[in-house]
């Protein structure tokens, strides 16, 4: 780029994906050595106007989701299919086929399926041809002849063709880098750019060999050869870019079909490790990564499947390895996605009527139904999940879109069909975490790995059927017809993964990993590894013994006794807040860490709003409500505060708003009942020689009230003294601990809780006698505790508890390691 004489800002560079853009940005800045204006970097497949545009937002575009939903509904009327849940996977494969044809430039409306698939073919193919013909006519009417997302996306790419033609020829440079031109629409754009005097195409690998090899659909350079043929170029016309010593020439030989008279080749940069099972493969990957990190080397791990990705994530967490998994996972693999599908499975097996009752009560709106299930049946979910995490929001967004599609097509579903729709929808959604630039290890799939490199590259899953995996196998058409109308070969994916394997294996230090057993079945090594072996490569296998011994020995580590003695610090007489006393009662160790050591957990920067934010904004709205506030005012104020916390278009707002509607009437009643009360008032009282402080939510002459957005303490907990906060605030009021004028009413105060728990909101009142019992119990309990810990020097023992609010410091106490 420097030698071209063109300024960076006058360059337009197309790259395979957004991660490649990130890498090129860093590379340019590193090369320049200072801040600079970057060229325009565009992921192939995105349009001109808005790189972040959403096809579903275009007017006149029907979403893929809507096409699947409507097609499944149409197919359910076929006698041999019968139900929507049976029709759904068929609809998905049909839409996939139509999109492949769209990508190949084939107009589906021009195809006469019954003429194309005549009586020469099996009857089931002829039956499918009848269905294709009917659906082709009906789909146009159902979707009002709207463009598909694929067609619109292709149109956006074609728009670049006109754009690049009009760029100044002597003052600009257009580059396509890292693409194999495997998608027809991309191939067309690259053909236009290749014909421009200011156009440059940088192909991955180093294409060389025999034409008859290139023509095979499994060959690594099959797509590049087709592109070169399309622009009228020969393989010999491609100029090699000198990147220094490389093993790519040997790799080209290994993936050819000429093996006679080959000399042994030194491929010592590559190391083959064969593990006994998949879990051991993940452990071996973690061991290699850990060693590389200790040597201050960067690591790139390639995993071809979602299950392998999850195994690696678990193993890395076990080894405390920080890794970037921003390549993403299917929404079905998220905690929220798995929990919803698991609960649906349980209900289908036991009682479908429960789902259908909730569905009916929500006017047959699927999203409202799922929202209510999440609200009311939280304890039934497994695994548990945070409804406000970014992963969960992706799940809610997908279900909302599905729900809208069902409503648009006037489709009502039963529990079985709902489960099928949700599973299908979530499986099509990729949930990605933010890129972690500080991570020493990056875990990617083969597609995301293009144009990526690292000091150490680890290729996992090198078994047949996994790496390479078979591509799209069309169940609707005979193989011959598929080829005839332009659908990609099932071997197309093998070709692309072969090129990925070749390029990645040219790294400085490369590890090939495979498991001999997968899912209890013996595996076969990847054909890619077999080709390298046949080509007489001499690569390292000795390192496998060292790595596997290290992995297996980790399970045989000699145990060393740790000191689990409870802390016993000097006597503490500092002021203490009533909210901390709850910790002292239920888990003294947690009180020790929080109050004496003064340690607080740091909020995760990436974690969104949670239950604490919800409680804070509800408290603030109630405390700041004017005297003439109405229910609607309270709801509007809480909505406003929620949007400030969550931001616009956050689906968590939907759940919170439902809570606000439940809270407002009760909060208004409480405000009327306690008109003239003070809010957030500081108080203090001395108990057993130690100052106990409090900040009352709401207090008046003769009474005190605490707002709980969750559950209020039970009467038994209050009279046992185990939940002392509000009783001690009442005790402070009785003993003039709050700075406002009181009368004899405060000599015998009452207590109230405003409990705002979802589905159980109420005002809980305790009369004078009940309040007195609770005050006495709390006073006695706290006196005993101060005599034990402040005066008596007792140890702050760790107590195991199932309540999450007392487990915040379990990692300090090594709770999981205690008997």
């Amino acid at each position: 780029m420097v030698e071209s004489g063109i300024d960076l800002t006058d360059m337009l560079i197309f790259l395979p994906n957004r991660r490649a853009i990130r890498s090129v940005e860093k590379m340019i800045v590193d090369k320049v050595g200072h801040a600079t204006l970057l060229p325009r970097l565009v992921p192939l497949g995105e349009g001109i106007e808005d790189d972040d545009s959403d096809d579903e937002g275009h007017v006149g575009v029907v979403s893929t989701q809507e096409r699947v939903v409507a097609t499944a509904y149409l197919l359910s009327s076929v006698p041999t299919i019968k139900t929507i849940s049976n029709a759904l996977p068929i609809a998905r494969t049909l839409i996939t086929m139509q999109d492949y044809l769209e990508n190949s430039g084939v107009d589906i409306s021009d195809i006469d399926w019954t003429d194309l698939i005549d009586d020469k073919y099996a009857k089931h193919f002829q039956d499918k041809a009848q269905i294709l013909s009917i659906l082709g006519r009906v789909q146009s009417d159902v979707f009002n002849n709207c463009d598909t997302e694929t067609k619109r996306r292709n149109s956006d790419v074609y728009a670049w063709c006109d754009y690049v033609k009009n760029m100044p020829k002597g003052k600009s440079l257009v580059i396509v880098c890292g693409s194999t031109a495997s998608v027809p629409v991309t191939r067309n754009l690259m053909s236009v750019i290749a014909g421009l005097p200011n156009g440059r195409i940088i192909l991955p690998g180093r294409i060389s060999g025999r034409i008859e090899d290139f023509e095979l659909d499994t060959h690594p350079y099959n797509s590049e050869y087709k592109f070169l043929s399309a622009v009228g170029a020969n393989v010999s016309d491609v100029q090699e870019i000198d990147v220094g010593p490389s093993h790519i020439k040997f790799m080209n030989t290994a993936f050819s079909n000429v093996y006679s008279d080959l000399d042994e080749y030194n491929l010592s940069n590559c190391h083959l490790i064969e593990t006994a099972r998949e879990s051991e493969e993940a452990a071996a990957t973690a061991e290699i990564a850990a060693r590389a990190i200790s040597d201050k080397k960067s690591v790139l791990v390639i995993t071809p499947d979602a299950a392998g990705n999850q195994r690696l994530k678990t193993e890395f967490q076990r080894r405390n390895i920080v890794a970037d998994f921003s390549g993403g996972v299917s929404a079905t693999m998220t905690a929220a996605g798995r929990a919803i599908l698991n609960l649906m499975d349980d209900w289908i097996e036991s009682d479908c009527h429960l789902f259908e009752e909730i569905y009916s009560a929500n006017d047959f709106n699927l999203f409202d139904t799922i929202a209510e299930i999440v609200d009311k049946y939280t304890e039934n979910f497994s695994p548990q999940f945070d409804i406000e995490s970014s992963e969960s929001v992706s799940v809610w967004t997908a279900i909302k879109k599905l729900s809208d599609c069902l409503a648009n097509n006037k489709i009502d579903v039963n529990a079985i069909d709902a489960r099928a729709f949700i599973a299908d929808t979530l499986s099509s959604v990729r949930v990605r975490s933010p890129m972690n630039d500080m991570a020493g290890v990056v875990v990617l799939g083969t597609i995301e790995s293009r144009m990526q490199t690292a000091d150490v590259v680890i290729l996992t899953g090198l078994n047949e059927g996994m790496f390479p995996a078979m591509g799209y196998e069309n169940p609707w058409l005979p193989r011959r017809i598929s080829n005839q109308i332009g659908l990609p070969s099932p071997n197309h994916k093998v070709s692309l993964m072969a090129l990925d394997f070749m390029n990645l294996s040219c790294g400085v230090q490369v590890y090939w990993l495979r498991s001999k057993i997968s899912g209890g079945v013996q595996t076969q090594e990847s054909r890619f590894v077999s080709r390298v072996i046949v080509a007489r490569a001499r690569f390292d296998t000795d390192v496998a013994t060292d790595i596997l011994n290290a992995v297996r020995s980790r399970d045989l580590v000699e145990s060393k006794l740790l000191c689990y003695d409870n802390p016993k610090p000097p006597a503490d007489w500092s002021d203490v807040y009533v909210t901390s006393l709850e910790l002292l009662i239920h888990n003294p160790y947690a009180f020790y860490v929080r109050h004496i050591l003064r340690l607080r957990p740091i909020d995760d920067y990436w974690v969104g709003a949670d239950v604490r934010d919800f409680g804070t904004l509800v408290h603030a709205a109630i405390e700041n409500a004017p005297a003439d506030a109405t229910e609607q005012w309270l709801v509007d104020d809480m909505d406003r505060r929620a949007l400030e916390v969550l931001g616009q278009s956050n689906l968590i707002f939907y759940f919170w708003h439902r809570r606000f509607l439940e809270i407002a009437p009760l909060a208004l009643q409480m405000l009327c009942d306690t008109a003239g009360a003070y809010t957030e008032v500081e108080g203090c009282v001395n108990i057993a020689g130690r100052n106990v402080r409090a900040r009352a939510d709401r207090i008046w002459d003769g009474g005190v009230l605490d707002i709980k957005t969750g559950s209020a303490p039970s009467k038994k907990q209050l009279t046992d003294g185990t939940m002392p906060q509000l009783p001690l605030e009442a005790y402070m009021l009785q003993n003039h601990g709050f700075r406002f004028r009181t009368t004899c009413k405060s000599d015998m105060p009452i207590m109230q809780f405003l409990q705002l728990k979802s589905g159980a909101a109420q005002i809980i009142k305790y009369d004078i006698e009940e309040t007195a019992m609770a005050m006495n119990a709390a006073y006695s309990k706290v006196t005993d505790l101060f005599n034990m810990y402040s005066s008596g020097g007792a140890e702050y023992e760790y107590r195991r508890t199932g309540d999450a609010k007392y487990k915040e410091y379990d990692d300090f106490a090594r709770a999981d390691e205690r008997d």
Side-chain angles (χ1 to χ4, degrees):
M1 291 192 296
V2 175
E3 295 176 357
S4 68
I6 305 296
D7 191 87
L8 285 175
T9 56
D10 292 321
M11 295 183 186
L12 171 62
I13 304 176
F14 293 94
L15 297 165
N17 49 53
R18 290 186 176 275
R19 185 174 287 275
I21 288 178
R22 186 81 162 258
S23 298
V24 170
E25 288 173 342
K26 291 180 180 178
M27 180 272 293
I28 291 174
V29 172
D30 288 343
K31 291 288 185 184
V32 173
H34 53 75
T36 185
L37 294 175
L38 294 169
R40 185 173 185 181
L41 304 172
V42 181
L44 279 165
E46 290 194 352
I48 297 177
E49 297 300 327
D50 183 2
D51 290 352
D52 295 316
S53 63
D54 184 353
D55 293 319
E56 295 183 31
H58 282 300
V59 176
V61 175
V62 58
S63 71
T64 301
Q65 180 71 67
E66 183 128 9
R67 291 164 64 205
V68 171
V69 168
T71 303
Y73 183 65
L74 294 171
L75 286 170
S76 66
S77 63
V78 177
T80 55
I81 296 175
K82 297 181 181 179
T83 66
I84 290 178
S85 55
N86 289 339
L88 193 54
I90 302 172
R92 178 64 70 176
T93 60
L94 173 61
I95 297 302
T96 300
M97 182 190 77
Q98 292 176 337
D99 285 343
Y100 270 120
L101 288 170
E102 197 103 65
N103 270 330
S104 300
V106 177
D107 190 342
I108 302 172
S109 61
D110 291 340
I111 299 177
D112 184 341
W113 295 106
T114 53
D115 181 61
L116 191 65
I117 305 173
D118 53 23
D119 56 9
K120 293 195 299 291
Y121 296 97
K123 187 176 185 304
H124 71 92
F125 280 127
Q126 295 180 53
D127 293 340
K128 290 175 181 176
Q130 293 284 350
I131 295 174
L132 288 172
S133 296
I134 296 170
L135 286 176
R137 294 191 299 269
V138 175
Q139 282 179 322
S140 298
D141 295 334
V142 170
F143 304 134
N144 298 318
N145 293 309
C146 291
D147 287 347
T148 64
E149 291 179 23
T150 302
K151 186 172 183 179
R152 177 55 61 92
R153 201 153 40 240
N154 289 347
S155 298
D156 290 342
V157 176
Y158 283 127
W160 283 110
C161 296
D162 294 330
Y163 181 88
V164 298
K165 289 176 183 177
N166 295 322
M167 291 180 68
K169 300 299 182 289
K171 300 180 180 179
S172 62
L173 192 63
V174 186
I175 302 172
V176 179
C177 182
S179 173
T180 60
S182 59
V183 179
V185 65
T186 304
R187 187 184 307 149
N188 291 339
L189 173 61
M190 291 173 63
S191 297
V192 170
I193 294 172
L196 299 174
N198 60 332
R200 304 288 186 272
I201 306 296
I202 302 176
L203 298 172
R206 178 188 165 190
I207 185 169
S208 64
R210 305 185 310 162
I211 300 300
E212 53 265 42
D213 287 340
F214 298 147
E215 290 175 339
L216 297 173
D217 56 8
T218 56
H219 194 275
Y221 296 117
N222 178 256
S223 294
E224 292 185 13
Y225 173 72
K226 289 179 179 178
F227 164 70
L228 293 172
S229 300
V231 298
N234 296 317
V235 171
S236 58
D237 296 329
V238 179
Q239 299 178 21
E240 182 180 348
I241 298 175
D242 185 7
V243 294
S246 172
H247 298 290
I248 192 65
K249 185 176 180 180
F250 165 76
M251 286 293 177
N252 287 349
T253 301
F255 281 78
S256 71
N257 289 314
V258 179
Y259 292 115
S260 58
D261 301 324
L262 290 179
D263 295 327
E264 188 176 69
Y265 183 82
N266 181 10
L267 197 64
S268 57
N269 66 307
C270 295
H271 315 274
L272 175 63
I273 301 176
E274 297 181 299
T275 65
R277 55 195 178 279
E278 292 166 307
S279 59
E280 189 175 71
E281 182 180 351
T285 303
E287 177 66 24
I288 296 166
R291 294 184 182 192
I293 292 171
S294 67
D295 291 338
K296 301 190 182 322
K297 295 179 179 179
S298 58
V299 181
L300 173 62
V301 181
I302 309 302
T303 175
D305 72 318
N309 185 293
Q310 290 299 305
R311 285 191 295 272
L312 287 174
K313 180 177 280 190
T314 300
E315 193 62 36
F316 284 176
Q317 288 173 346
R318 193 169 76 89
R319 296 287 300 270
N320 294 320
I321 296 173
V322 178
D324 178 0
F325 282 87
S326 58
V329 296
S330 166
T332 56
M333 301 296 289
T334 63
R338 285 157 50 209
I340 289 171
L341 294 175
N342 289 342
L343 184 63
M344 293 290 290
D345 286 337
D346 291 342
W347 284 3
I348 289 168
E349 289 181 9
S350 58
D351 186 9
C352 289
H353 298 298
L354 184 55
F355 169 84
E356 284 151 16
E357 286 173 7
I358 302 172
Y359 186 50
S360 175
N362 282 281
D363 296 326
F364 305 100
N365 183 294
L366 182 61
F367 181 74
D368 289 351
T369 300
I370 296 299
E372 182 171 335
I373 290 171
V374 170
D375 272 347
K376 291 185 176 181
Y377 297 93
T378 304
E379 66 280 2
N380 294 351
F381 283 117
S382 178
Q384 290 288 303
F385 59 89
D386 177 5
I387 66 170
E388 296 158 11
S389 70
S390 58
E391 278 191 350
S392 298
V393 170
S394 298
V395 171
W396 311 141
T397 302
I399 295 176
K400 182 66 167 64
K401 290 179 180 178
L402 168 63
S403 181
D404 292 344
C405 290
L406 293 172
N408 292 342
N409 290 277
K410 298 179 173 58
I411 299 173
D412 294 337
V413 294
N414 57 32
I416 295 173
D417 291 341
R419 199 272 183 204
F421 269 126
I422 292 172
D424 175 80
T425 298
L426 296 185
S427 66
S428 66
V429 174
R430 195 80 175 166
V431 178
R432 301 179 188 275
S433 58
M435 291 186 191
N436 184 356
D437 289 330
M438 303 304 294
V441 180
V442 179
V443 182
L444 300 174
T446 53
I447 295 175
E448 293 94 347
S449 71
R450 289 166 191 169
M451 294 189 66
Q452 305 300 313
T453 188
D455 299 323
V456 176
V457 177
I458 308 172
L459 306 182
T460 68
L462 281 166
N463 288 323
E464 276 299 298
M466 186 64 68
F467 198 157
M470 288 299 291
Y472 172 65
E473 185 74 60
N474 177 26
W476 284 86
L477 305 173
R479 180 74 66 87
R480 178 182 170 188
I481 297 295
S482 294
N483 295 337
Q484 180 180 331
I485 64 176
L487 285 172
S489 162
N491 288 322
H492 178 66
K493 192 170 185 178
V494 175
S495 168
L496 297 178
M497 293 184 82
L499 186 57
D500 292 331
F501 174 86
M502 288 168 52
N503 288 331
L504 290 165
S505 295
C506 291
V508 177
Q509 191 173 7
V510 182
Y511 291 87
W512 299 328
L513 273 74
R514 62 175 293 261
S515 55
K516 296 179 180 178
I517 301 292
S518 175
V521 178
Q522 187 171 347
T523 61
Q524 180 182 346
E525 72 180 13
S526 168
R527 68 185 74 177
F528 301 158
V529 176
S530 299
R531 278 186 169 274
V532 171
I533 293 172
V534 171
R536 300 193 65 196
R538 187 178 72 254
F539 51 82
D540 174 50
T541 56
D542 295 337
V543 72
T545 302
D546 180 36
I547 295 293
L548 293 178
N549 283 342
V551 167
R552 291 161 185 168
S553 66
R554 290 185 68 84
D555 295 330
L556 303 173
V557 175
E558 182 181 353
S559 62
K560 294 183 179 180
L561 294 178
L562 296 174
C563 179
Y564 293 103
D565 293 345
N566 295 313
K568 188 179 179 180
D572 174 40
W573 290 96
S574 61
D575 292 4
V576 60
Y577 269 88
V578 289
T579 49
S580 295
L581 292 175
E582 193 178 325
L583 283 179
L584 186 58
I585 292 169
H586 295 279
N587 191 352
Y589 183 86
F591 175 87
Y592 162 76
V593 176
R594 182 179 182 85
H595 180 76
I596 297 178
L597 298 184
R598 307 286 181 183
L599 297 179
R600 300 286 189 278
I602 298 175
D603 290 336
D604 189 338
Y605 177 82
W606 297 108
V607 173
D610 59 16
V611 66
R612 293 172 299 175
D613 299 288
F614 178 84
T616 299
L617 74 87
V618 169
H619 274 73
I622 294 174
E623 289 163 9
N624 293 287
D628 59 349
T630 63
E631 289 183 23
Q632 190 59 50
W633 186 94
L634 280 171
V635 171
D636 291 344
D637 190 54
M638 288 187 283
D639 281 348
R640 176 185 60 79
R641 294 174 187 273
L643 290 172
E644 289 175 358
V645 172
L646 298 171
Q648 298 290 335
S649 304
N650 190 321
L651 283 178
I652 298 302
F653 174 77
Y654 176 87
F655 294 95
W656 284 12
H657 177 72
R658 288 166 62 97
R659 294 281 304 279
F660 299 156
L661 294 175
E662 181 184 11
I663 288 169
L666 204 63
L668 190 64
Q669 178 188 335
M670 180 276 292
L671 291 171
C672 293
D673 293 345
T674 61
Y678 300 94
T679 60
E680 293 296 308
V681 180
E682 291 277 354
C684 181
V685 68
N686 190 280
I687 300 176
R690 188 170 185 177
N691 286 335
V692 177
R693 297 188 176 276
R695 183 181 293 110
D697 283 347
R698 199 164 184 85
I699 192 168
W700 62 95
D701 185 17
V704 62
L705 179 142
D706 191 30
I707 301 172
K708 296 290 188 186
T709 49
S711 297
S714 67
K715 184 175 181 179
K716 184 177 187 307
Q717 290 174 317
L718 294 171
T719 55
D720 287 348
T722 57
M723 299 295 282
Q725 178 184 347
L726 193 60
L728 288 182
E729 290 177 7
Y731 178 78
M732 288 180 196
L733 178 62
Q734 185 184 60
N735 288 272
H736 313 292
F738 292 100
R739 293 183 180 179
F740 67 90
R741 187 181 297 276
T742 60
T743 67
C744 60
K745 292 180 181 179
S746 293
D747 293 341
M748 294 183 292
I750 63 169
M751 300 186 308
Q752 294 182 11
F753 289 99
L754 177 59
Q755 177 178 279
L756 301 178
K757 181 183 179 183
S758 177
Q762 60 180 312
I763 298 174
I764 303 172
K765 298 181 179 181
Y766 291 93
D767 59 26
I768 293 173
E769 291 182 1
E770 292 169 327
T771 301
M773 289 176 61
M775 286 193 301
N776 292 334
Y779 180 85
S780 298
K781 175 68 74 173
V782 171
T783 300
D784 291 343
L785 290 172
F786 288 170
N787 288 335
M788 285 175 58
Y789 294 102
S790 297
S791 302
E795 297 177 348
Y796 288 85
E797 70 274 20
Y798 169 78
R799 293 178 188 164
R800 191 174 296 278
T801 172
D803 196 325
K805 64 183 177 181
Y806 307 132
K807 295 166 63 68
E808 201 168 32
Y809 300 102
D810 276 13
D811 52 342
F812 280 84
R814 298 182 181 273
D816 293 338
E817 300 172 22
R818 291 173 179 255
D819 292 334

